[in-house]
């Protein structure tokens, strides 16, 4: 068999497994969006069974033999750059999956699938004890996973690597410690500022139907392709991509707060446009997948914050907002509106947090997860630890489990190691945005005229189309000319909010 025939067979096997992944993803999407409550138990078994089949297929001896043949080609340097990428990333995943039994994989999948609905019930009732037995089991299984996979220094590395490949707990700890020092200091300056901002001017009575129309208008205008996607509602907003031609996002609505749903929609549309920008010709291979969740998050944050909370964006959309909701916005001055949407104040819910305190939410979760996995703390200790840390970092007392330890869906899905990528996404987005402003003449002037296409295409050409050809740090260096540097994000925060708060 020639090299070309061998690699073509390899890609065919990968595509077949990707179709199975798509089926699992559709079942998971349906579970979070449309599935009736009584369907949870059987859905958990179905998903677990399919994940088990996928795992067995991926680590099967026939596929391993095929991989080893490709490895020989790689070792003898007979692969081109794209082929090397495909092999490298599949070999990484195979090496990890091979260390876990199908029984373990099925058990973890079933527990997490069942736990999602239990978490939702616990959150609704604000009762951590309902979720605790499932969380204890998930933590136990994730500790086992870390041991199976292996690690050099910290067991958390084994879980982090799933979401942010090649990044270590130690590296993130250093970055986050520097960021925490800056944020705590800068927040004190904001609290001392004499500038008084009233975020309540954004409150009103906003019919859901009108909010849906506005959300669709904005998402489509910035570039989300509704012919290749959907916008629905879920308890915890998310993005699911089956392929570049079928990418689905969700948001949530509140009658008295239009901004939360709109910001969420812009955020998820940023994720979705990344997925829609991946080349269909690479479907089924790592070239058709995103690099890391940190890079993915950079695409949502760059749209949600750098664009969607900026003056140029709202110079275009504010008149449309005033027309859609004349009460109260026809009576509000533009500058007051801009300050209100960028108001800084500690709050309980991570997804509702401002650009500054949001990162403290992430740092806190990262610290808790590290200790949870290394055994320093146990699941039953979490409400007490969460509330104490929250009081320390934010200076406010958590009144209930639903506003505290139960607010995020991640742990119910076994997504331990995911949270740090949110803050990394802020760093990446700041660095990318600064480069885009250099590359695209009068970028923000274009935004004020409702012209978002050139920026979207810049992101696609520089980031989306590459798939996993580069690591996250290689991509950052390729696009910006230097390694990841938190300085860009810190400068952005300091400059923007010093102006708003007259610091």
């Amino acid at each position: 068999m020639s090299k070309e025939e061998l690699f073509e067979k390899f890609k065919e096997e990968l595509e077949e497994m990707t179709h199975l992944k798509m089926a699992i993803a559709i079942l998971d999407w349906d579970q979070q969006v449309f599935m009736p409550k009584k369907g949870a138990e059987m859905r958990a078994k179905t998903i677990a069974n399919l994940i088990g089949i996928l795992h067995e297929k991926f680590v099967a001896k026939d596929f391993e033999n095929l991989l080893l043949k490709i490895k020989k080609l790689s070792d003898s340097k007979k692969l081109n750059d794209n082929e090397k990428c495909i092999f490298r990333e599949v070999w990484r995943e195979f090496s990890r999956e091979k260390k876990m039994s199908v029984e373990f994989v099925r058990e973890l999948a079933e527990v997490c699938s069942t736990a999602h609905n239990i978490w939702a019930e616990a959150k609704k009732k604000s009762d951590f004890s309902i979720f605790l037995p499932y969380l204890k089991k998930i933590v136990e299984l994730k500790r086992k996973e870390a041991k199976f996979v292996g690690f050099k220094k910290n067991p958390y590395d084994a879980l982090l690597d799933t979401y942010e490949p090649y990044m270590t707990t130690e590296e993130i700890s250093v970055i986050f410690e520097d960021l925490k020092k800056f944020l705590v200091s800068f927040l004190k300056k904001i609290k001392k500022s004499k500038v008084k901002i009233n975020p309540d001017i954004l409150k009103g009575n906003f019919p859901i139907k009108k909010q849906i129309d506005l959300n669709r208008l904005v998402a489509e205008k910035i570039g989300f392709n509704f012919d290749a996607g959907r916008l629905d509602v879920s308890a915890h907003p998310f993005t699911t991509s089956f392929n570049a031609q079928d990418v689905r996002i969700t948001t949530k609505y509140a009658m008295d707060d239009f901004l939360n749903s709109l910001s969420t929609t812009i955020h998820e549309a940023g994720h979705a446009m990344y997925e829609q920008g991946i080349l269909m010709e690479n479907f089924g291979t790592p070239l058709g997948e995103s690099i890391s969740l940190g890079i993915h998050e950079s695409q949502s944050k760059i749209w949600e914050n750098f664009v969607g909370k900026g003056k140029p964006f709202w110079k275009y959309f504010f008149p449309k907002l005033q027309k859609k909701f004349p009460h109260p916005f026809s009576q509000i001055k533009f500058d007051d509106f801009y300050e209100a949407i960028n108001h800084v104040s500690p709050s309980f819910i991570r997804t509702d947090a401002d650009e500054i305190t949001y990162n403290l939410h992430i740092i806190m979760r990262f610290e808790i997860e590290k200790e949870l996995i290394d055994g320093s703390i146990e699941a039953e200790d979490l409400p007490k630890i969460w509330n104490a840390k929250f009081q320390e970092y934010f200076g406010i007392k958590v009144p209930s489990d639903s506003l505290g330890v139960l607010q995020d869906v991640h742990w119910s899905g076994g997504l331990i190691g995911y949270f740090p990528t949110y803050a990394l996404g802020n760093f990446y987005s700041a660095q990318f945005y600064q480069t885009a402003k250099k590359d695209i003449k009068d970028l923000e002037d274009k935004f004020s005229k409702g012209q978002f296409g050139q920026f979207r295409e810049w992101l696609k050409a520089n980031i989306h189309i590459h798939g996993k050809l580069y690591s996250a740090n290689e991509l950052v260096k390729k696009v910006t000319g230097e390694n990841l540097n938190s300085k860009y994000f810190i400068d952005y925060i300091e400059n923007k909010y010093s102006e708003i708060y007259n610091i």
Side-chain angles (χ1 to χ4, degrees):
M1 189 180 292
S2 68
K3 170 212 160 184
E4 288 73 23
E5 290 173 327
L6 189 64
F7 213 86
E8 192 58 36
K9 179 174 174 55
F10 180 44
K11 288 168 69 175
E12 287 173 2
E13 290 285 332
L14 290 175
E15 183 170 332
E16 187 176 330
M17 285 185 272
T18 301
H19 284 301
L20 188 51
K21 289 178 185 177
M22 284 176 57
I24 295 167
I26 289 170
L27 289 171
D28 181 67
W29 173 83
D30 175 72
Q31 181 179 25
Q32 297 194 54
V33 179
F34 288 131
M35 190 187 75
K37 184 177 180 180
K38 286 190 175 181
E41 184 177 351
M42 185 55 68
R43 178 60 53 84
K45 292 182 183 299
T46 302
I47 290 175
N49 191 46
L50 289 175
I51 288 176
I53 292 170
L54 176 61
H55 176 77
E56 284 181 316
K57 188 171 181 60
F58 189 55
V59 300
K61 196 65 181 177
D62 286 349
F63 186 68
E64 182 176 6
N65 289 336
L66 180 58
L67 258 178
L68 290 171
K69 290 176 183 178
I70 303 292
K71 188 176 188 301
K72 286 182 180 179
L73 293 175
S74 178
D75 292 343
S76 57
K77 300 182 179 179
K78 292 181 180 179
L79 302 181
N80 61 37
D81 287 346
N82 284 358
E83 291 168 342
K84 280 191 281 188
C85 166
I86 294 171
F87 169 73
R88 180 189 70 235
E89 295 304 319
V90 173
W91 183 258
R92 264 176 56 83
E93 187 178 354
F94 172 81
S95 300
R96 181 186 183 92
E97 290 293 312
K98 186 73 174 175
K99 296 172 182 176
M100 294 182 281
S101 69
V102 66
E103 292 77 18
F104 173 80
V105 170
R106 280 185 172 141
E107 182 182 12
L108 178 59
E110 186 169 350
V111 169
C112 290
S113 186
T114 303
H116 172 80
N117 288 70
I118 301 299
W119 162 80
E121 180 187 356
K123 182 182 179 184
K124 186 177 181 180
K125 294 179 179 178
S126 194
D127 186 351
F128 181 73
S129 67
I130 296 172
F131 180 49
L132 178 58
Y134 293 86
L135 181 57
K136 287 177 70 173
K137 186 62 177 176
I138 289 169
V139 170
E140 176 191 339
L141 291 170
K142 298 306 283 188
R143 287 172 178 171
K144 283 184 179 180
E145 182 181 332
K147 289 180 180 178
F148 289 151
V149 172
F151 52 89
K152 290 182 178 179
K153 291 185 177 181
N154 193 309
Y156 192 74
D157 287 342
L159 306 182
L160 174 65
D161 190 66
T162 304
Y163 309 106
E164 200 64 22
Y166 310 107
M167 185 72 80
T168 68
T169 306
E170 187 175 21
E171 289 173 316
I172 290 179
S173 296
V174 172
I175 295 172
F176 281 8
E177 193 58 38
D178 289 342
L179 178 63
K180 184 164 68 172
K181 288 177 182 176
F182 163 75
L183 292 175
V184 170
S185 173
F186 194 62
L187 273 172
K188 289 179 180 177
K189 293 179 182 179
I190 288 176
K191 287 179 181 179
K192 292 178 180 178
S193 170
K194 294 181 179 179
V195 175
K196 301 303 175 186
I197 297 173
N198 180 16
D200 291 338
I201 64 172
L202 302 175
K203 298 293 183 181
N205 183 14
F206 309 112
I208 302 301
K209 176 62 172 65
K210 286 189 174 184
Q211 289 193 56
I212 292 172
D213 291 343
L214 180 64
N215 275 251
R216 287 184 64 89
L217 168 70
V218 173
E220 189 167 27
K221 185 65 178 177
I222 64 176
F224 177 65
N225 184 355
F226 277 94
D227 288 337
R230 288 179 59 92
L231 171 61
D232 293 287
V233 177
S234 67
H236 192 102
F238 67 101
T239 297
T240 292
S241 175
F242 309 126
N243 58 74
Q245 296 174 347
D246 188 355
V247 185
R248 308 187 186 188
I249 63 177
T250 67
T251 190
K252 58 182 180 179
Y253 299 98
M255 282 287 289
D256 65 340
D257 184 0
F258 90 96
L259 187 63
N260 186 275
S261 68
L262 185 60
S263 293
T264 299
T265 297
I266 295 171
H267 177 99
E268 299 302 339
H271 280 305
M273 287 186 285
Y274 185 176
E275 295 292 338
Q276 290 179 339
I278 290 174
L279 301 178
M280 274 301 296
E281 65 196 58
N282 292 322
F283 173 78
T285 77
L287 289 169
E289 299 171 356
S290 60
I291 299 164
S292 75
L293 287 186
I295 295 295
H296 223 308
E297 192 66 16
S298 77
Q299 300 308 283
S300 60
K301 289 297 186 183
I302 211 166
W303 284 103
E304 178 192 5
N305 293 332
F306 288 82
V307 180
K309 288 184 179 176
K311 280 186 178 180
F313 177 90
W314 282 107
K315 282 180 180 177
Y316 177 76
F317 278 111
F318 190 57
K320 293 172 174 54
L321 179 65
Q322 290 177 311
K323 186 176 180 180
K324 179 69 72 174
F325 299 115
H327 304 290
F329 297 113
S330 62
Q331 307 300 315
I332 297 174
K333 295 178 181 178
F334 177 81
D335 286 344
D336 292 338
F337 172 82
Y338 172 71
E339 289 180 350
I341 66 172
N342 288 290
H343 174 245
V344 175
S345 179
S347 59
F348 299 111
I349 304 299
R350 172 184 62 85
T351 54
D352 295 344
D354 57 76
E355 287 186 272
I356 297 177
T357 59
Y358 181 90
N359 296 281
L360 287 175
H361 279 272
I362 300 306
I363 291 169
M364 188 184 89
R365 286 157 174 78
F366 168 67
E367 292 172 349
I368 288 173
E369 284 191 345
K370 279 192 306 177
E371 295 186 345
L372 200 57
I373 295 305
D374 70 21
S376 299
I377 61 175
E378 297 297 335
E380 50 263 44
D381 303 324
L382 287 182
K384 181 179 178 181
I385 292 169
W386 181 288
N387 295 349
K389 277 184 173 288
F390 207 89
Q391 180 78 44
E392 177 188 352
Y393 292 179
F394 297 91
I396 50 179
K397 187 176 180 180
V398 178
S400 66
D401 288 343
S402 62
L403 291 175
V405 71
L406 285 174
Q407 67 177 268
D408 295 302
V409 70
H410 300 62
W411 292 339
S412 72
L415 304 180
I416 298 174
Y418 191 126
F419 278 120
T421 66
Y422 288 125
L424 290 173
N426 281 327
F427 298 152
Y428 291 134
S429 62
Q431 204 160 329
F432 287 145
Y433 190 71
Q434 189 63 32
T435 303
K437 286 174 69 175
K438 293 176 183 176
D439 290 351
I440 303 174
K441 185 179 179 182
D442 300 323
L443 175 63
E444 293 185 336
D445 184 54
K446 288 180 169 64
F447 291 164
S448 68
K449 297 173 182 176
Q451 299 169 4
F452 303 99
Q454 193 173 354
F455 180 57
R456 185 179 64 252
E457 291 305 310
W458 184 91
L459 292 172
K460 180 178 179 179
N462 284 282
I463 299 165
H464 306 169
I465 65 171
H466 297 303
K468 290 187 174 180
L469 185 59
Y470 309 104
S471 69
N473 198 57
E474 286 171 344
L475 182 75
V476 170
K477 193 166 185 178
K478 176 179 169 59
V479 175
T480 70
E482 60 180 295
N483 292 328
L484 176 64
N485 189 341
S486 60
K487 169 185 178 295
Y488 290 99
F489 178 70
I490 291 173
D491 286 350
Y492 158 75
I493 290 294
E494 193 164 27
N495 292 335
K496 177 178 179 177
Y497 289 92
S498 290
E499 179 182 352
I500 290 173
Y501 282 93
N502 194 26
I503 296 172

